[in-house]
Amino acid sequence: MAMATFQPGQQIEVLSDQDGFKGSYYGGTIMYEEEGRYFVEFHNLVSEEDPSIPHREFVQVNEIRPSPPHSQFAADFGVHTIVDAFDNDGWWVGYISRIEDNSKYHVYYELYDDEIGYPLELLRPHQEWVNGGWVIFD
């Protein structure tokens, strides 16, 4: 399988493998490629030295995927639907464990054995980049 290639200016997401952030995705923009790695400017992460500056770092190609397309399926979320929830500046995969008053969706994170409630606007359908295309999980 050929590795994906990305272009400067392309909107992407970077997979985190750090303890406490494992499996979460962070939006960014490809700045340039150098020696098989991509220099990424993150949308919601900031520099530790100066919080007014976006965080930037080199990322391996296997940690990058294109930004997923926007989906209109959010209103159809039900219990056990696999979703991404926007929290701590990134997208975290979990499943809806319960719905409160049709306005608060509780998402369970199996990896962390934790459940957090979110409004609908912080959820999106979970999608995986598989063989060059998007697959929606429900």
Side-chain angles (χ1 to χ4, degrees):
M1 178 170 71
M3 285 299 232
T5 58
F6 301 97
Q7 303 302 316
Q10 185 172 354
Q11 304 300 299
I12 51 89
E13 290 185 345
V14 176
L15 176 64
S16 177
D17 197 27
Q18 291 182 341
D19 285 342
F21 299 92
K22 189 177 282 288
S24 57
Y25 281 91
Y26 296 86
T29 303
I30 298 290
M31 304 305 288
Y32 60 89
E33 183 266 338
E34 184 177 289
E35 298 178 8
R37 299 181 310 157
Y38 291 92
F39 194 67
V40 173
E41 179 176 286
F42 289 86
H43 298 159
N44 296 308
L45 302 178
V46 295
S47 167
E48 290 181 15
E49 294 81 31
D50 183 349
S52 68
I53 298 173
H55 177 68
R56 299 176 180 122
E57 70 176 84
F58 279 102
V59 179
Q60 299 295 327
V61 69
N62 64 337
E63 300 171 312
I64 302 174
R65 68 181 190 180
S67 291
H70 293 287
S71 176
Q72 303 302 315
F73 300 114
D76 297 333
F77 289 156
V79 173
H80 302 296
T81 301
I82 301 172
V83 296
D84 295 336
F86 192 77
D87 201 345
N88 290 323
D89 300 319
W91 292 100
W92 300 72
V93 64
Y95 67 85
I96 295 176
S97 54
R98 61 190 169 101
I99 301 170
E100 224 177 280
D101 299 325
N102 286 327
S103 63
K104 191 172 195 177
Y105 295 77
H106 292 264
V107 177
Y108 179 72
Y109 301 101
E110 198 167 339
L111 184 61
Y112 299 100
D113 191 26
D114 195 14
E115 179 186 84
I116 302 173
Y118 299 95
L120 184 61
E121 59 267 15
L122 293 179
L123 302 179
R124 69 182 186 190
H126 179 66
Q127 301 176 71
E128 289 286 338
W129 183 246
V130 179
N131 296 325
W134 287 105
V135 177
I136 296 178
F137 287 80
D138 56 9

